[in-house]
Amino acid sequence: MPQSVLREPAQTGPDGRAYVIDQMISAKSIAARVESLAHEIEAHFADTDKLIVVGLLRGSFVFIADLARELDLPVEIDFIEASSYGAAMQSSREVRILKDLRGEIEGRDVLVVEDIVDTGFTLHHVLHLLRARKPRRLEVCALLDKPSRREVEAPLRFVGFEIPDEFVVGYGIDYAQRNRNLDHIGKVRFVP
Ligand code: IMP
Ligand code: MG
């Protein structure tokens, strides 16, 4: 069966529309890319005494788990949660912090881990907040980047894959809280 063909039975979204998920990036390709991203990050932070890896909840939870285990550096893991799309497929452009970091980051090396960067509003807001706390170095690693959708600047130092303007799910990423547990990245396609 070709990869682009429907892998799952149709599901129903929050508005009652049926959709299927077409595979875009396989679990194997993700694993290979995560390994090479970890090498890029290790090289960049080779001299660090401790790297604070900050996951943006909830979408980054699978990615950060895999990435952190590939990192051969002293790391600490922390999380921050920003408000997201809710049940919609559009960014609200208003970003609120729902859960802040537990630890201090002043003078530390910090790597923010994001699942996907779309308009850039979420990351822009989070970076503004974190920069004010004066970390020594602050870099961003995003698994997916949709550059064609960018509306505000979001400096990405490490990017897993650039993807076209499609709504994707899986590997931690959701559609109205569903499909986070898919082991690959797929795109949502509505069906009649
Ligand atoms: P931004 O603020 O527009 O850059 O959106 C970033 C956040 O929106 C990401 O962290 C995701 O949680 C969510 N998001 C953006 N694109 C998608 C998508 O294609 N599928 C699911 N969630 C997405
Ligand atoms: Mg997110």
Side-chain angles (χ1 to χ4, degrees), residues 22 24 85 89 116-118 144-149 163-169 173 185-190:
D22 298 327
M24 183 189 264
Y85 286 19
M89 287 174 118
I116 175 164
V117 182
D118 187 56
L144 304 176
D145 182 16
K146 285 195 234 178
S148 66
R149 298 261 309 160
I163 60 166
D165 183 10
E166 301 277 2
F167 194 84
V168 296
V169 291
I173 302 171
I185 302 283
K187 61 181 177 188
V188 169
R189 177 164 53 88
F190 290 101

Side-chain angles (χ1 to χ4, degrees), residues 56-60 82-84 114-116 122 173-174 180:
L56 251 77
L57 291 172
R58 285 173 256 177
S60 71
S83 60
S84 69
E114 174 62 311
D115 53 355
I116 175 164
T122 307
I173 302 171
D174 72 302
R180 290 194 197 270

Side-chain angles (χ1 to χ4, degrees), residues 136-149:
R136 177 163 166 255
R137 283 183 286 192
L138 179 63
E139 305 290 3
V140 180
C141 176
L143 178 68
L144 304 176
D145 182 16
K146 285 195 234 178
S148 66
R149 298 261 309 160

Side-chain angles (χ1 to χ4, degrees), residues 28-44:
K28 222 173 149 180
S29 313
I30 297 170
R33 188 69 191 109
V34 169
E35 198 182 332
S36 58
L37 276 174
H39 292 315
E40 291 175 36
I41 294 164
E42 282 164 13
H44 185 82

